[in-house]
Amino acid sequence: MIKLLDILQEIIEGTCGYTTDTKTGKKLNTPGGLEEADPKTGTGKKPKGSGRRLYTDENPNDTVSIKFKTKEDIVDTLNKDSFKAKSHARQSQIINLIHQRVRAAYGKAKDAEVKSRLKRALDYIESRKESSKAKTQRLNKLKETSDPQSGKAAPYGSGYAPVKNKKS
């Protein structure tokens, strides 16, 4: 009879099938007392192999605040110390983000004055994006030519050209 009253009490309280935490007295998420892992913070896209997400502000130290209403706003954003301190790969991501947002704003603009202002901003960020692409290609080419074997022994018949030592 007491057991039946305990079960009815659990049903009324809504704790039936759940165990309670002895320290806090709160019921746990799953039946049987199994605790689920904490959900991952943030919901934005995350580059592979990186703990950084692009669209959420999980690490304020890594954040560069951006403005893109005018060309001058974009110039100011790209001249910030917080932007220049980032690696080239991170700078490219920020430039792409600004480009996407300006392009979307330009596409939605109705007012002629706003549209012309955003067009100047779009032209500027596209030129910066192209120069960033060119720098990426230069860096990749430099990486390839500096050490084609990248510290690995060349397999027999691999076709690697022998590395020439510069004479000083």
Side-chain angles (χ1 to χ4, degrees), residues 72-130:
E72 291 75 25
D73 286 343
I74 295 172
V75 170
D76 291 343
T77 298
L78 299 183
N79 285 334
K80 286 182 182 178
D81 289 337
S82 58
F83 175 79
K84 291 185 174 187
K86 307 290 181 228
S87 67
H88 174 67
R90 181 70 170 143
Q91 288 180 0
S92 295
Q93 288 178 335
I94 294 168
I95 289 171
N96 284 334
L97 178 70
I98 294 171
H99 178 257
Q100 290 170 359
R101 290 186 181 178
V102 171
R103 190 179 63 201
Y106 176 70
K108 291 180 181 180
K110 303 283 187 229
D111 187 24
E113 183 180 325
V114 172
K115 204 158 181 86
S116 67
R117 173 173 44 85
L118 289 173
K119 179 63 176 166
R120 283 193 311 273
L122 184 61
D123 290 342
Y124 176 73
I125 196 65
E126 283 178 348
S127 69
R128 287 297 298 261
K129 187 174 178 178
E130 290 302 318

Side-chain angles (χ1 to χ4, degrees), residues 1-14:
M1 184 72 173
I2 295 176
K3 190 95 165 158
L4 183 59
L5 290 174
D6 290 341
I7 293 172
L8 287 174
Q9 183 70 28
E10 286 181 356
I11 291 172
I12 291 170
E13 291 175 358

Side-chain angles (χ1 to χ4, degrees), residues 17-102:
Y18 294 92
T19 58
T20 55
D21 188 358
T22 55
K23 293 180 183 175
T24 62
K26 294 182 180 179
K27 70 178 183 177
L28 298 176
N29 291 339
T30 56
L34 297 175
E35 292 187 45
E36 292 181 358
D38 291 335
K40 291 185 177 181
T41 55
T43 57
K45 291 184 178 182
K46 185 173 82 166
K48 281 191 174 181
S50 171
R52 180 181 69 245
R53 294 176 188 271
L54 288 175
Y55 306 118
T56 56
D57 195 8
E58 293 173 3
N59 183 2
N61 297 330
D62 189 44
T63 302
V64 175
S65 60
I66 62 169
K67 291 184 181 179
F68 54 90
K69 281 190 169 187
T70 64
K71 177 186 169 187
E72 291 75 25
D73 286 343
I74 295 172
V75 170
D76 291 343
T77 298
L78 299 183
N79 285 334
K80 286 182 182 178
D81 289 337
S82 58
F83 175 79
K84 291 185 174 187
K86 307 290 181 228
S87 67
H88 174 67
R90 181 70 170 143
Q91 288 180 0
S92 295
Q93 288 178 335
I94 294 168
I95 289 171
N96 284 334
L97 178 70
I98 294 171
H99 178 257
Q100 290 170 359
R101 290 186 181 178
V102 171

Side-chain angles (χ1 to χ4, degrees), residues 144 147-154 158 160-163:
E144 288 173 6
D147 188 11
Q149 297 171 355
S150 65
K152 298 178 183 174
S158 66
Y160 277 124
V163 178

